[in-house]
Amino acid sequence: MKLNSNYDNIKSSYLFVEIANRVKKFSAENPSADIIKLGIGDVTRPLAPCVVEAGVKAVKEMGDAKTFRGYSPDSQGYEFLRDAISRYYASFNVKIAPHEIHVSDGAKSDCGNIVDMFDDGNVVLIPDPVYPVYLDSNVMSGRKVIFCDATEEDDFAPLPDKNLKCDIIYLCSPNNPTGAAFSYEKLKAWVDYANSLGAVIIYDAAYEAFVTEKDVPRSIFAVEGARTCAVELCSFSKTAGFTGTRCGYTVVPDELCGGKLAKMWARRQSTKYNGTSYIQQRMAEAAYSPEGVRQCRENILAYQKNANLISDALTEMNIYHTGGKNSPYIWLKCGMDSWDFFDKLLAEANVVGTPGSGFGKNGEGFFRLTAFNTYEKTAEAIDRIKKIL
Amino acid sequence: MKLNSNYDNIKSSYLFVEIANRVKKFSAENPSADIIKLGIGDVTRPLAPCVVEAGVKAVKEMGDAKTFRGYSPDSQGYEFLRDAISRYYASFNVKIAPHEIHVSDGAKSDCGNIVDMFDDGNVVLIPDPVYPVYLDSNVMSGRKVIFCDATEEDDFAPLPDKNLKCDIIYLCSPNNPTGAAFSYEKLKAWVDYANSLGAVIIYDAAYEAFVTEKDVPRSIFAVEGARTCAVELCSFSKTAGFTGTRCGYTVVPDELCGGKLAKMWARRQSTKYNGTSYIQQRMAEAAYSPEGVRQCRENILAYQKNANLISDALTEMNIYHTGGKNSPYIWLKCGMDSWDFFDKLLAEANVVGTPGSGFGKNGEGFFRLTAFNTYEKTAEAIDRIKKIL
């Protein structure tokens, strides 16, 4: 038996391991230091009360013969949830039919699995810096990957280079790690570029709930022409705090590849996935109820308050940065090597962030702070940072 | 962009669609007929009370800032569950270390995804008749598939043909659809065969909780030599009624490919999966508590009582069959075309089963009945079958 040799080509990322090691060493040498973590990429606020209530109810239904549910009627998700997601899109004027929505255990699974739909000979275009899963999941299949530079020049929301030919394009907006978000106009340029090439855009909308600016689309399907070139991955992780609960979905529009991609994805999921738990589907549905929307919004607002605090302080200090406005991430220019800045911040302010170089070559000289700590800790961290910079 | 053309080679299975259509037509023409379904491949009894209790507790923890959990510490599963699974194996004298266990949202996902570990040039050996996912998930990657005949001659538990060369072998014991289970000796022959070829066995143990005979291993790792050639997929679906709740796991032993496969699988899961929900992991853990084992066992015993009822009646009628003993499935020789038998049973006894030909060429002339209906309905169906055969 021969193993998949493409796995030998994945670079091991020691970013978060290296961070943990440096923090551990510093703590051991400075046991009294009160370290504040602004490197957290995970939500910290509990699930909304009505989501919890729906979860408790669903679990209890599974314990009663009269309401017990076995396998989902199909692997695409219960109608009640697909209808709720369709209405959610409608609330910001994007028309997605319930049958175009495929519910899953999370956007990361879909992001990893969607590549199975495409021939291994396709060329993949990925922005740099970026969330490492896009690259790794394609290296695992042996696809050729080329990069598109995102830099200070374009505020980390680059336009397509029309001289580059590619077949599959990854876009993440609002972006992880830069927090930069595409305006309608910029995203339209990408949609037009993809349509002109016959390429498909894999659009990661995981952070859409953080969008505040009117000109920033919350879905690629708000953009004219997207239905012939894009799939959209989305998640309840950031919208409703589901990072440990697990639920997400993928939108595959009818127009894409003449309907063939939707059929292939449904076949993939019914063969290699057995549907999302009834419990999580009820919890996700509750997050879309009027009460759920209000309660989840409270959590988002709390994170946004932290993001604004960080962003405003950086503006005041004249430090160039992206994100914060439409994102829980703030990406700042540190004016030195990313790891040197990490060490400086840790040593002098006892604040932990994430070196930008860990997300690609264009991340060198940049640094990511996140809005997921408490308001008090975030404010204290900002005070300390102001004193040392 | 070029789509994965291997998907064009997957045969569409209309088995359950065709069954539904024939039942619908019959019901429309015979509105007073009291149809009993012995074709159910899904559990019907509710979750055990202590599993429900653990689920309610876990959901509530997610709603409280003090006990909220975000992303799992790693995508392999919480230690509390991997420890519990390891102890479960120890309870039937199989030694599996917690770090060899990879928790997931279900065995079907693992079964579909594990093929990514292997080069597309490998030759795959699959028994016929069989659960269709093994075939389809390899056709999707363009692998060459050869078949191993399971027939009445070997009681549908075939031995390897040493003249056949292959790289990847699928075994399911107790089997879906035949209910046949490998004895230690037969399974040892497969393990020796795989080791002699340097092949890997993907062993589906989803029905292990139904094993009653002492000579039938509940895990391939009960067999000497398996740790150098096998991975084992298992599920809480049948053991604890988790078909709609979703949780499973895969065991990758340290010895396999010198430890490389375990590392590759962990890397695959951390890249293309984001861990199993904390809620399901707590529910699965509860199924392994002394109280959980007792409560889940009650459900298994109820299904086994039905299986025995069917099996005993067939023995009494001198109808050749496999399964029932170590399985919720009973696979009987119908002495005619599988679909003709389906129509006869539906028309004359108003009983629905599954035609064996739907599971492969060797299923022709055979028929599957399942033990997942209630005792009363099963007994009534058997009385009717006795009258017409």
Side-chain angles (χ1 to χ4, degrees), chain A residues 2 42 71 108 113 122 270, chain B residues 2 71 108 122 268 270:
Chain A
K2 205 181 149 211
D42 192 358
Y71 293 119
K108 193 167 179 184
N113 296 333
N122 287 302
S270 68
Chain B
K2 208 181 148 209
Y71 293 120
K108 194 167 178 184
N122 288 301
R268 193 265 167 214
S270 68

Side-chain angles (χ1 to χ4, degrees), chain B residues 67-294:
Chain B
T67 49
F68 174 77
R69 309 253 188 161
Y71 293 120
S72 302
D74 69 61
S75 61
Q76 212 184 321
Y78 280 100
E79 266 182 35
F80 63 76
L81 179 54
R82 289 191 280 135
D83 288 349
I85 296 169
S86 175
R87 287 194 301 271
Y88 178 67
Y89 274 98
S91 75
F92 45 87
N93 297 316
V94 173
K95 202 174 160 182
I96 301 289
H99 74 264
E100 296 176 311
I101 297 162
H102 303 251
V103 177
S104 76
D105 71 304
K108 194 167 178 184
S109 299
D110 290 354
C111 184
N113 296 333
I114 195 96
V115 300
D116 291 3
M117 303 299 100
F118 309 113
D119 190 89
D120 291 345
N122 288 301
V123 174
V124 179
L125 179 69
I126 294 178
D128 173 340
V130 84
Y131 180 52
V133 165
Y134 310 147
L135 175 61
D136 290 348
S137 55
N138 281 290
V139 171
M140 285 172 175
S141 313
R143 282 189 201 87
K144 186 183 169 189
V145 176
I146 57 176
F147 292 94
C148 154
D149 290 327
T151 64
E152 190 178 345
E153 218 169 290
D154 48 43
D155 284 332
F156 288 92
L159 285 168
D161 172 355
K162 284 170 191 165
N163 296 316
L164 276 182
K165 300 281 171 248
C166 64
D167 306 298
I168 301 169
I169 301 161
Y170 282 83
L171 297 177
C172 176
S173 175
N175 189 271
N176 177 11
T178 70
F182 286 118
S183 64
Y184 184 95
E185 196 188 357
K186 278 193 172 180
L187 196 52
K188 177 81 167 75
W190 279 102
V191 165
D192 291 345
Y193 168 69
N195 276 324
S196 77
L197 290 176
V200 65
I201 296 174
I202 297 176
Y203 189 77
D204 186 343
Y207 297 93
E208 62 79 19
F210 283 86
V211 169
T212 52
E213 291 183 307
K214 280 212 170 142
D215 185 39
V216 171
R218 289 174 63 179
S219 162
I220 195 167
F221 300 115
V223 174
E224 207 193 320
R227 291 180 60 90
T228 51
C229 69
V231 300
E232 181 161 296
L233 314 177
C234 204
S235 166
F236 297 88
S237 285
K238 304 306 189 298
T239 314
F242 271 42
T243 53
T245 300
R246 314 304 309 140
C247 196
Y249 59 87
T250 289
V251 177
V252 187
D254 289 338
E255 290 86 337
L256 201 54
C257 310
K260 194 165 177 187
L261 197 70
K263 279 201 193 94
M264 284 174 69
W265 182 242
R267 183 64 196 245
R268 193 265 167 214
Q269 293 295 81
S270 68
T271 303
K272 298 189 174 192
Y273 183 64
N274 219 335
T276 307
S277 173
Y278 174 70
I279 301 163
Q280 270 72 6
Q281 293 198 54
R282 281 294 184 202
M283 292 171 83
E285 180 197 25
Y288 287 136
S289 66
E291 191 58 15
V293 168
R294 199 190 57 70

Side-chain angles (χ1 to χ4, degrees), chain A residues 185-237:
Chain A
E185 195 188 359
K186 278 193 172 180
L187 195 52
K188 178 78 167 74
W190 279 102
V191 165
D192 292 344
Y193 168 69
N195 276 323
S196 76
L197 289 177
V200 65
I201 296 174
I202 298 175
Y203 189 78
D204 186 342
Y207 297 93
E208 63 79 18
F210 283 86
V211 169
T212 52
E213 292 182 308
K214 278 209 170 147
D215 185 42
V216 172
R218 287 174 63 179
S219 162
I220 195 167
F221 300 114
V223 175
E224 207 193 318
R227 291 180 61 90
T228 51
C229 68
V231 300
E232 179 161 299
L233 315 177
C234 203
S235 165
F236 297 88
S237 285

Side-chain angles (χ1 to χ4, degrees), chain B residues 4 60 81 98 111 242 244 309 327 340 361:
Chain B
N4 177 353
K60 287 183 177 169
L81 179 54
C111 184
F242 271 42
L309 197 69
S327 165
D340 289 346
K361 73 173 174 58

